[in-house]
Amino acid sequence: MLSKPEKEKIQHQSTVIVGKLLKPKLSENIINRELVKTFSSKIIKGIRAALIVAPAGYGKSILLAQSSDVLTDKGYNCNWLSIDTKDNDPLRFLSLLIASIGEQDSLERNIAVGYFGVERKTAIDYLITDIANYLEAQPCKYAFFIDDYHAISNPEVDSILERLINYSPQQTVFIIASRNEPKLALNTLKVREEVLRFTRIDLAFALDESEKFLNTSKQLGLDSKLVSALADRTEGWVAGLQLASLALAGSSDYEKFICEFTGTDRDVTDYLGEVILSRQNDEVRRFLLWSSVLDRMSAELVNYVLSIDSAQAMLEYLEDKSLFIIPLDRNRIRYRYHHLFGDFLRNALNKEYPSKTEKICHRACTWYVEHGNYQEAINYALIAKDYSQALDLIARISKKLILESGENWTLLNWVQQLPDGYVLKRPEIGLAYSWSLIFNRQPGKARNQLEQLEGYCQQHAKTLSPDLLEHLRSGIKIDQFLVEAVCDNTFRCSTLVKEWLAENPNREGEELLTALVLEGYTSLSTFKFEQGEAAVNKAILIGKQCSIDYLEAWALAVAGLLKVQKGDLNEATKLFIKGLKQNNKYAQQYSYMGSLNAVLLAEAYYEKNEIVKAEELLYNRFEYIDSQSVVEVSYSGYRVMANLQLIKSGLDSALEIIRLGKESADRAELPRLKALLTAQEIHYLLRHGKRKEAQIIAKDSGFDESRAPTFDEDSRQVFQEIRELVRAELNLHNNLPKKALAILNAQIVQCKETGRHLRLMEGLLLRCRALYALKRTDDAVADVSQALSLAEKGGFYRLFLDAGVEIHQLLRLVVKGDVNKQTENVIVFLGEINELLLTDSETQESKTKPDQPQDTLLEPMTKRERQMLDFIKTGETNKDIADKLFISEQTVKWHLHQLYKKLGVKNRTSAIAKARALLLI
């Protein structure tokens, strides 16, 4: 049962939602554009998704609203969603969508409570399935109008919408308005011409529309010369024309005003905003400025914040006067300012009333606290610089935020807005903050934070309660273990964890679970797999018993990693899928644990030759992989992305991924990751006949005796194994099979002793090549057969498909040999491998040879790629772009690489030229 405060919180949230689900009210003087008919008719013909992409003020919302009216008349069930940044929470976004499907008059009664329970138990995948199944069962057509989608920056929400568009029935259409290109993978629908896209060029007012707007709608009576001049100056920008019309209404000399009027977008807003604001009486002017601090307004909120009782009347007055305020529901309960006008008002407020913003935000914080909306309250407290209040509110939800929802980035954002050292006033938040730093690849900052916490504990040991002191000290140790793990000091981490477990036999909950997961993870380097599996299995059990689903997802991921190394890919796949489901119960799909399981599952799918599934899981995951400090996970991500690029685009694209990964390894000071990626780079080069390049890289990277890099004692064994396998492959390509055989014999013995069947299979496939080169064909076939037997049990297909011509020849010898030596399962598995090899060969032969000149993009640009194009157009360096977008330079290089591929070019200059030719800039 929900408590009374929880019920009140739910009721408040559902009320907020109603305002976001109702189509904005259109002015009676709105002009009817031919564009609306064109847009609506194309949708009715069978479009599955319609994208309206244009800057602010081009009438996107109006086009959506008018099209909604047209489709409603055509029998569509039209649903409206107005998006803001808070809808980056996937469950909130889905809940809005679900609520929009209900009857408007019964939203709160039938939908809101059911999907806004504070426990948030419903998994995202089930919700998507429920929505798709519900729509399939309905006799009518559905249209979902999603406004302001540019507010979405969470890739998981993009993924949710993308899946809904693809999975919903044919009679459903999604119409999406955004200032930026949405990150939606709709390539299949685009090929079928089921995606419609309108841009700024489509939305801009033509001359005749400008004339109708100014003279018919606004009744200004301008002659054709002045209309043309104003249309030219605004370049068809609807908001510019609206602002200009308001300013002209108070001008006695139209011609002079229009002649002096220049510029577009920001300049227009600032100039005309001043003109409009100066014509309001003091009461209206003050209301406009003060209320602009609030993102979304209700009369109740505004009355409280501004200490007035006339907010509803004033909001309705502003709407009647068309002063750029937008009603968010048909009952005129909730409003917001037009984005551009709101920006102008806030700038004017800060100039005229420098301290007013803080006071208003402080009262808004209080109001939201009283209504149980802590996240919104924290945001206003931080703007108001009421750090004490913000800290108290963060303390209420920080543990749930990181351990249940995995929202590390949210906590980081809040804490980093506090003054330096302020977080120590609430050390439990400092502990959560260090956890978030660790999982966002900032171990150096995490170490500093933990040192400050240790100092705090020493300084206040006598004043803190014994329970809190013990909790802090234990938490500090756990976080220190994590720092060692993400810095790849796995042997030190293993030692510290074992000491802690011995010293704390009665520990329970998330601390014990974390220690056990780390014990399991470090066994990947110590090769003590049985001990590691026992630890993670116990961690999974604790996760179930304590309902710590987010951390249970972590334990499942590590359990899957151990299964992969033991050669059981099928069981690992089940664990990764389960890990994703556990993560999605509370957290976002793109949370740390969600991405962790997704990347590892992508590797499993790749090895099982389920290429499409692997690609889908890695879509929009590069930034996660690039910021990942766990070597095994980061390596898996880069390797699978490179392999996919090798299949789709060839060697150069694959090598680009590997080199980006190596740069990331250097930046994060992870030498083992760099060694693994360098070994993969050498392998690619040798496979493609580039032996000299491979040898140079091997020598420069220390893969020969003369230039081995310096490693600590713990890491030397791991690097030695990587180096030995590289040397063996180089010897094979240098026609030195005896040297290769000597190395591989020792490696295979070690793999058998430690139970590492994946590495054993790789070693066997290398050794059989050496044996075959030495004319020891029977021994070579025996090694291949042994590898096949291990691979069949685990489900490793790509291990053979990617192995090269020599292995494929040996597979044919296995087929021709005595099949009675093979089990029935291995014979079936071998037949599947050979069939896949034949399919791959036919696919390669059927590929189109000459490239045709492009007159369109190969694929649509993502929002990030659009940003890259804008930046390189103005000459920004990679470092400048990284700083402005708060991402790494390696991530910038990746997005540029993807942009160049889509444009069919190889450098910045060519990209700019091609973009101009395609009218993209």
Side-chain angles (χ1 to χ4, degrees), residues 61 103 314 541 562 741 850:
S61 300
E103 290 296 320
M314 184 63 78
L541 183 61
L562 287 164
L741 188 60

Side-chain angles (χ1 to χ4, degrees), residues 331-343:
N331 295 322
R332 292 175 148 186
I333 294 173
R334 299 194 173 274
Y335 294 82
R336 69 167 174 85
Y337 288 112
H338 187 285
H339 299 302
L340 291 174
F341 195 57
D343 289 343

Side-chain angles (χ1 to χ4, degrees), residues 812-858:
R812 285 191 282 272
L813 292 178
V814 173
V815 173
K816 292 178 181 178
D818 187 356
V819 293
N820 292 325
K821 294 181 180 179
Q822 313 295 337
T823 66
E824 184 178 345
N825 288 341
V826 170
I827 292 171
V828 172
F829 182 70
L830 180 57
E832 291 172 341
I833 294 290
N834 281 323
E835 186 176 344
L836 289 168
L837 286 171
L838 180 62
T839 302
D840 282 353
S841 176
E842 291 173 348
T843 301
Q844 290 294 326
E845 290 176 5
S846 65
K847 282 184 178 179
T848 305
K849 294 181 177 60
D851 291 331
Q852 299 300 321
Q854 281 179 251
D855 58 1
T856 59
L857 279 177
L858 295 174

